Each structure stands twice: as structure tokens, then as C-alpha cells.
């Protein structure tokens, strides 16, 4: 037996023993006390004890389930069932009521945490929702989602119409109960689906993207359905005028959210990230945005979950979202609110009612309807768009996953007295059974699908992109002065930023302002250069790839002068790359000026130093331009090539990759081995150029001094883009070759520095909140 399996079994036994010991000690201790005394028995103490138990048991069982390749939320839900009337309350009813009392004040306290958990869970679900993937897949996921929702939804409504009146709190509201039940049966769990698809390395496969995007679209449609259902449930009956008003209000809310609201959310997150000095200010703004949007949906007569979900989608798409801030949010939600919410949901389920043969049979029928309806709907939707039987079967298996969404829907119905506790228990049982069955079924179905040649080529291209520099850039900081090289730097940043819509901050190194603030020169020319280049770049990329790139988010301001402290303060806001274009960056001996060294010392990310060559004037990149890129097989050189190709694509410029092989004894003794290595390096650059759809030329030169060859070849180019690594020491140095090229190259040079010596300077002892990243 493998060691890992043995460790898993031992860890599982320890967790179960701990849970058993806890469930033994707590009843014994509580049984000895006839009445609560002191803090342990106060309302606050009982509340804390209940939260601790939900966290301990839920997280413990979730860990066990996850180690056996099952979703952790199932363990958390079962943890609540174990602590509820199904087991703990059945064995020790008085103790269970002591820890989880039914009186209104105590129940309200823990349910308030659970309700807040619902909003945060929906926000997190929205943040993880990739609408770009849905747009990319298009008609396939639309067909699968439509059929996969319609069939189980109709079956759920029909099943509710046949239920005995005793299972409904209000038999007069059977239609509303049917809407809740139909919605619970028709939505798939994005988290569970994505977990298995990612585990099977199918996330980049065509079918994997269709499966995940279909689950995302189902989730979105599901929350819109719940919004309408909530409005119907609020009025008790279907009132056409009121229903139309609600649908219109939801439509207005959605349109506003994804137009004006989208820009407002982006601006608020960016403003808080760039303006506040206190820790985790962005998290506060994110929570405020979620609360305001949830409150707004409540005002228009639909449930708050819709507002929280839409807020999460907008937050997740924000260009400014610190990676570790997102991780902090996910951490507190996953560690606290998820176990509490699912635990409280489990507390509301009483599996002892299934001892009744009639209820047990109805539950089995409900599970069958949910599974068959969902599978057949998704299977039919896949076949309608031309999928093979194996592919459609895999889609059907994937869409049958339930989980958090169904439990949230059922919890809303239970809180509104639309669903009875018994019917709620049946829905929770259905969610657990289908969630446990889905992962092995989907793994079996996906193993039967070999990779096509088109998929292999696309995945190889995407893997090549991931290794690149530009694909990982999310936000640029630009420092430029009024010189020709400064304006050229702004143009280059605009070209790069426009290709993906990344936010850019421009700091203009101007002259010292006069006493009158109105006389301060604004960076208008730089802004025009940058915006014009960004628009040209975005238009070129959109024509080539059909992607929709919005206007670059640009912040421009005048700094007189730009100081190391200014750069350090700005760097805290999260940037991936610093572009610097300043006149006088080098002294008479071609060494870098101390002022440049001090400025870049406060920035710990990558650098692009734009330097004036020995010639005059700066080029305007066009279809007649050539960008020279020296390569030598190192990762530093490859990143420079990636940046050069990104600059060349919008301008339709050509790229010339130059490999300078050093003459020496080894190359003379084994010329075939040297040639093989050189060709392999250049082949990789050609593959990268094909990905960018940029024409590329390759050249191999033999010489003992690479810098001389690069300077000679640069005479036939418009621009040189060269990778370099910073050397340790008090001076700003990038090695002999880079220094010699900078000193003797006739054309402008972009020195791409991605390997740097970490700065030991810290301003005010604070570190950045995190580099800007997107989902």
C-alpha cells in the first residue's frame, strides 16, 4: 500500500477520534450542569461554543473528504448534519439544544453569521466567474445551459405539484415551492465542476472550457431565476404587473451594473488601492461595494444574493486587484463563513425523517429526477451543437454536480417558509448524493476523450505564452521627462498597455513648479502619445484576435521632480513593470547616472530602461521598422524577445532575432553541437513570433565580442530590445555586454531587466500590498 494512502488513513482516524472525543466530552460536561452559569452558559458563550463546534467538525470532515478527492463543502455540510438532530440531537437532545438553542435571540445570532456567509460566498463565486470564458465558448455553452436548466427545472416544478400537502408549509404556495425546487435541481456547482476539470488537466481543453463556462452560465441564470422567484414569493401569488415590474427592475440593475457600475467599481478599487495608506483598505471597499449592491437588489424587491453575486463578478474583473488581497478574502470566507453557513444548513436538516418509507422513497425519486433530468438536458444540449456521444456524456456527468448553490437556494426557501424542514432535508440529501457521485463519473468520462491535434497545438501555444513576460504584466508605471526619449517611452508603454487594456500610471519628470500652482505644466503631450499608441495597439489586437479591449485606464500627473521616495510610494500600489525614459540617464563615460540608480532602487519589479543611442532622433515604429533582439538561450533574453514581439505586433513591424555564438575552442572542436543549440534557441523565438503573428528573421553570427556584432547589426534596425540582469554593487550595472551595447549602439535601446538585485530600502517600513493581478 502506498505511503500516502497510509498517511491519509492515519490522519482520517485521528480526525474521527478527535471528533468522537469532542462529542463525548461536551455532552458529559453539559449534562453535569443543570443550568448555564458564567460566561460558558451566557448567550455570548453559547454562541462562541456553537461557532467553534461548527468550525472544528466542518473543517475536520471537509479535510477528510478532500483527501479522498471529494469536495470539502460536502464534509462541512455533513458536519452540520452530524451536529444537528440527525445524530448529535438524536443521541443527546438536551445537550444539542443547549449548544444550538431554538430561542429566537440565540438562533438569530448564529443565523446572522450564516446570512452574511451567503453574501460573501456569492461574492466569492462571482469573483471566480470568468465571463470571458463564456463569451469565448459561445453557442456551445448556451445550448448546454439552456437544455440543462430547462429539463430539470420543469421536472422539479412537476414533482412539487405532486408532493403531499404535509411537506409544504403553505400548500397554497405550491407553485412558489416548485420554483424553488426546480431552481435547486437545475443549477450545477461551479466550484465542484472546476475542481474535477482542473484536476484532470482539462481546463485548457475545448471540452473542459465548455463544461466550466456552461456551469458559470447556469449559475448566473440561476441567480436571476431566484431573484424573480423571490419576488413572487414575497407577494405570495403570481401578480403579472408586479412580476413584470420586478423583471424590468432586475434588467435595469444588470444593465447599469455592467456599464456604469462596472466603471464605478473599477474606479473605487483603484482609488482605494492608490490612495489609502492603511492596511487592507481595498478589502473594506470591496465589502462596501458588495453590501451596497446587495442592499440595492433588496430595495428593488429581489434577494440580496443577486447583488452580491453581480458585485463579485465586477470585482473579479477589476484591472486593479491585489493578488494577496484576493487571497485574504478567500481565506476568511473559506475558513470561517463557509463552515458556519454549511454547518447551519446541516443543522436544519433532519435525516431521521427519512426513516419514514414514504419520505425515503420520495427522496430517492427526487435524486433520480435531479440526476436523470440534469444529465439528459446537458446531454441533449451537447448533441444539439454537434458533440460526439462521448463528449456529450462527459458534459452530462459534469453538469450533474450540485453543492453550495443548491443549499443556498434551499436555505432561502426555508427562511421564507416556502420549504418545510422535511423538504429542505430531501434537497440537502439530493445535493450530497449528486455531489459525491459526480467526480468519479466525470473522471471516468474524461479519460475516454483523447486530445485532438488542434487542442495540442493551442495548449502548446498557451504554455508558451505563460512562460512569457508580457502575459504576466497587469499594470505599468511610467516615468518620463519632456525629452524625445521620454515621449518615445510613453509611446512604447501605450503600445504595450493597449494590447491588453492594462492600467498605466504616468509620472512626468517636469521642471520645478513656480509659486503659482496654475503654472504647473501638465503631462498633456505624454498623455496624447500614450493614448494614441494604446488605441492603435488595441485596435490592431482586436482585428487580429477578435477580442474586446477597453480603453486603457490611465493616471497621469506631473512630479517635479520624480524622487526615489515618490517611486517607492507609488510602487506600494502594485506594479509589474517600470518604464523609465529620461534624458541624461548616462554620463559622459556611458555609465548610468546616480539619479537613475536612486529612482529605480525604490522599485523591486521588472524594468524597461529606454535609452538614447549614439544617433539622433527617435523612431516611429511602423510596418517598415525592424526591431533587433539579441538572444542567447537565457530566460532573460527570451523575455526581451517576448516584449519586442508585443511591441512589433500592433505596429506591424518586423523582428530580427540575432544569436551571437562566441568563437572558442569548444565551438571549433564541436561545431555541430554549437549549431544545434543556436538553432534550437532561434526556433523557440520563431514559435513565439508565430503566436504573435509577427514576421521574424533569424541570424547567427560567430564572433568573440557579442557587443560589437549587436552594434553593427543595429545599424539596419530601428530599435534594439535587449535583455539584461542587474549586477550587485553600489552602481547600476547590467554586465559588460549590455554596458558596451548601450555605449556604442547607434539606435535607441530598450533594456529589459527582469532579474534584479533586491533593494534593501524601505520607505516607512511598509511593503506593497501586492502586485496587481487579475483573475
Amino acid at each position: 500500500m502506498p505511503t500516502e494512502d497510509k498517511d491519509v488513513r492515519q490522519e482520517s482516524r485521528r480526525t474521527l477520534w478527535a471528533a468522537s472525543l469532542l462529542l463525548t466530552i461536551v455532552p458529559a460536561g453539559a449534562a453535569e450542569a443543570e443550568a448555564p452559569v458564567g460566561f460558558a452558559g451566557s448567550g455570548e458563550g453559547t454562541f462562541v461554543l456553537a461557532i467553534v463546534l461548527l468550525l472544528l467538525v466542518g473543517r475536520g470532515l471537509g479535510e477528510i473528504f478532500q483527501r479522498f478527492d471529494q469536495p470539502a463543502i460536502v464534509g462541512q455540510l455533513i458536519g452540520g448534519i452530524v451536529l444537528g438532530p440527525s445524530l448529535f440531537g438524536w443521541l443527546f437532545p438536551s445537550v444539542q439544544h443547549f449548544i444550538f438553542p431554538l430561542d429566537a435571540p440565540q438562533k438569530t445570532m448564529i443565523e446572522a453569521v450564516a446570512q452574511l456567509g451567503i453574501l460573501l460566498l456569492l461574492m466569492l463565486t462571482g469573483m471566480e466567474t470568468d465571463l470571458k470564458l463564456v463569451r469565448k465558448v459561445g453557442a456551445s455553452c448556451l445550448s448546454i445551459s439552456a437544455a440543462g436548466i430547462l429539463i430539470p427545472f420543469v421536472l422539479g416544478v412537476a414533482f412539487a405539484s405532486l408532493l403531499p400537502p404535509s411537506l409544504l408549509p403553505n400548500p397554497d404556495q405550491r407553485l412558489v415551492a416548485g420554483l424553488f425546487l426546480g431552481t435547486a435541481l437545475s443549477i450545477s456547482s461551479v466550484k465542484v465542476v472546476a475542481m474535477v476539470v482542473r484536476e484532470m488537466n482539462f481546463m485548457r481543453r475545448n471540452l473542459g472550457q465548455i463544461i466550466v463556462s456552461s456551469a458559470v452560465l447556469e449559475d448566473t441564470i440561476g441567480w436571476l431565476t431566484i431573484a424573480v422567484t423571490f419576488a413572487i414569493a414575497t407577494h405570495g401569488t403570481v401578480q403579472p404587473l408586479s412580476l413584470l415590474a420586478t423583471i424590468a427592475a432586475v434588467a435595469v440593475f444588470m444593465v447599469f451594473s455592467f456599464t456604469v457600475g462596472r466603471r464605478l467599481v473599477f474606479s473605487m478599487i483603484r482609488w482605494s488601492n492608490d490612495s489609502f495608506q492603511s492596511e487592507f483598505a481595498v478589502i473594506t471597499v470591496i465589502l462596501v461595494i458588495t453590501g451596497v449592491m446587495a442592499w440595492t437588489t433588496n430595495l428593488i424587491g429581489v434577494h440580496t444574493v443577486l447583488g452580491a453575486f453581480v458585485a463579485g463578478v465586477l470585482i473579479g474583473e477589476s484591472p486593479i486587484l491585489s493578488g494577496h488581497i484576493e487571497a485574504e478574502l478567500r481565506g476568511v470566507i473559506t475558513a470561517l463563513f463557509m463552515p458556519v453557513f454549511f454547518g447551519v444548513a446541516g443543522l436544519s436538516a433532519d435525516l431521521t425523517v427519512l426513516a419514514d418509507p414514504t419520505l425515503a422513497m420520495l427522496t430517492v425519486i427526487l435524486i433520480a429526477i435531479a440526476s436523470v433530468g440534469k444529465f439528459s438536458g446537458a446531454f441533449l444540449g451537447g448533441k444539439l451543437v454537434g458533440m460526439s456521444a462521448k463528449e456529450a456524456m462527459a458534459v452530462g456527468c459534469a453538469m450533474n454536480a450540485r453543492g453550495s448553490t443548491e443549499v443556498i437556494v434551499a436555505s432561502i426557501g426555508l427562511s421564507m417558509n416556502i420549504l418545510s424542514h422535511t423538504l429542505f432535508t430531501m434537497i440537502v440529501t439530493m445535493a450530497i448524493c449528486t455531489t459525491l457521485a459526480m467526480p468519479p463519473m466525470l473522471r471516468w468520462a474524461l479519460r475516454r476523450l483523447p486530445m485532438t491535434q488542434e487542442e495540442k497545438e493551442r495548449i502548446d501555444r498557451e504554455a508558451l505564452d505563460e512562460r512569457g513576460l508580457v502575459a504576466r504584466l497587469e499594470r505599468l508605471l511610467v516615468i518620463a521627462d519632456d525629452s524625445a526619449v521620454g515621449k518615445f517611452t510613453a509611446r512604447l508603454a501605450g503600445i504595450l498597455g493597449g494590447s491588453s487594456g492594462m492600467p498605466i500610471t504616468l509620472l512626468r519628470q517636469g521642471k520645478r513648479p513656480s509659486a503659482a500652482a496654475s503654472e504647473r505644466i501638465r503631462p498633456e503631450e505624454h498623455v496624447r502619445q500614450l493614448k494614441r499608441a494604446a488605441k492603435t495597439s488595441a485596435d490592431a489586437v482586436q482585428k487580429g484576435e477578435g477580442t474586446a479591449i477597453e480603453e486603457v485606464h490611465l493616471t497621469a500627473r506631473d512630479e517635479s521632480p520624480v524622487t526615489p521616495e515618490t517611486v517607492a510610494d507609488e510602487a506600494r500600489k502594485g506594479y509589474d513593470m517600470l518604464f523609465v525614459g529620461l534624458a541624461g540617464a548616462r554620463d559622459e563615460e556611458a555609465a548610468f547616472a546616480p539619479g537613475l540608480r536612486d529612482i529605480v532602487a525604490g522599485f523591486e519589479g521588472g524594468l524597461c530602461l529606454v535609452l538614447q543611442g549614439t544617433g539622433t532622433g527617435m523612431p516611429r515604429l511602423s510596418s517598415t521598422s525592424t526591431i533587433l533582439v539579441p538572444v542567447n538561450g537565457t530566460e532573460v533574453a527570451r523575455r526581451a524577445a517576448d516584449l519586442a514581439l508585443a511591441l512589433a505586433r500592433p505596429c506591424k513591424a518586423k523582428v530580427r532575432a540575432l544569436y551571437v555564438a562566441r568563437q572558442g575552442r569548444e565551438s571549433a572542436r564541436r561545431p555541430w553541437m554549437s549549431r544545434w543549440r543556436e538553432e534550437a534557441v532561434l526556433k523557440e523565438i520563431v514559435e513565439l513570433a508565430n503566436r504573435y503573428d509577427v514576421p521574424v528573421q533569424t541570424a547567427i553570427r560567430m564572433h568573440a565580442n557579442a557587443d560589437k556584432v549587436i552594434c553593427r547589426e543595429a545599424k539596419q534596425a530601428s530599435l534594439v530590445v535587449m535583455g539584461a540582469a542587474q549586477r550587485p554593487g553600489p552602481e547600476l550595472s547590467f554586465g559588460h555586454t549590455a554596458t558596451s551595447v548601450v555605449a556604442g549602439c547607434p539606435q535607441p535601446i530598450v533594456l529589459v531587466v527582469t532579474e534584479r538585485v533586491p533593494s534593501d530600502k524601505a520607505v516607512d517600513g511598509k511593503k506593497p500590498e501586492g502586485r496587481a493581478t487579475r483573475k
Side-chain angles (χ1 to χ4, degrees), residues 286-309:
I286 288 174
L287 294 177
V288 168
I289 292 171
T290 303
V292 169
M293 295 189 71
W295 174 70
T296 302
T297 53
N298 182 260
L299 283 181
I300 64 177
V302 297
H303 202 277
T304 53
V305 292
L306 177 63
F309 175 75

Side-chain angles (χ1 to χ4, degrees), residues 283-348:
I283 292 182
T284 302
V285 172
I286 288 174
L287 294 177
V288 168
I289 292 171
T290 303
V292 169
M293 295 189 71
W295 174 70
T296 302
T297 53
N298 182 260
L299 283 181
I300 64 177
V302 297
H303 202 277
T304 53
V305 292
L306 177 63
F309 175 75
V310 175
V313 173
L314 299 182
I315 291 165
E317 290 189 342
S318 172
I320 306 294
L321 186 59
S322 174
H324 97 275
I325 287 178
E326 186 177 352
E328 291 284 347
L329 270 173
R330 182 177 287 104
V332 71
I333 294 170
T334 304
L336 174 60
F337 291 101
M338 278 184 64
V340 171
F341 167 71
F342 288 113
V344 171
L347 289 173
S348 302

Side-chain angles (χ1 to χ4, degrees), residues 369-542:
I369 289 175
S371 301
V372 175
K374 193 65 181 177
F375 178 87
S376 59
F379 183 89
L380 177 62
K383 293 296 290 182
L384 289 176
V385 292
M387 287 186 176
S388 65
K390 289 183 178 180
E391 291 174 332
M393 184 173 293
V395 171
C397 293
M399 294 298 103
N400 200 33
R402 305 309 200 282
S404 59
T405 306
E406 289 68 28
V407 177
I408 293 174
V409 172
S411 298
I412 294 172
L414 182 64
S415 65
M416 297 181 65
N417 202 35
I418 301 299
L419 303 178
S420 65
H421 282 274
T422 301
L423 188 54
F424 175 83
T425 299
M426 294 167 60
I427 295 175
V428 169
T429 304
M430 177 274 297
I432 292 174
C433 292
T434 55
T435 303
L436 291 176
M438 175 270 186
M441 290 174 60
L442 181 57
R443 293 187 187 105
W444 170 80
L446 293 180
R447 289 193 190 101
R448 304 170 66 216
L449 297 171
M451 185 180 297
T452 64
Q453 183 63 29
E454 182 274 332
E455 283 183 318
K456 186 178 185 304
E457 292 175 356
R458 178 175 56 79
I459 291 172
D460 289 342
R461 288 197 306 268
E462 291 176 354
L464 199 64
D465 287 345
E466 281 193 352
R467 288 185 55 199
L469 169 69
V470 177
R472 296 197 298 268
L473 296 180
E474 297 293 344
R475 195 179 185 191
L476 303 180
L477 177 61
V478 182
I479 300 175
D481 58 14
D482 292 333
S483 65
V485 69
K487 295 174 184 177
F488 181 65
T489 301
R491 272 206 310 274
L492 293 181
I495 292 172
L496 191 62
S499 62
S500 60
M502 69 180 73
I504 300 175
T505 298
L506 171 64
L507 302 180
R508 175 183 171 274
Q509 169 79 67
K511 299 177 181 179
R512 292 187 177 275
S514 61
S518 60
E519 297 179 9
R520 180 176 297 189
I521 301 174
R522 303 303 299 169
E524 293 159 350
E525 178 60 26
H526 295 73
V527 171
R528 281 196 295 270
Q529 295 272 8
L530 199 154
K531 283 189 173 182
R532 190 182 304 120
K535 187 178 186 308
T536 302
S537 178
D539 291 343
V541 173
Q542 288 177 171

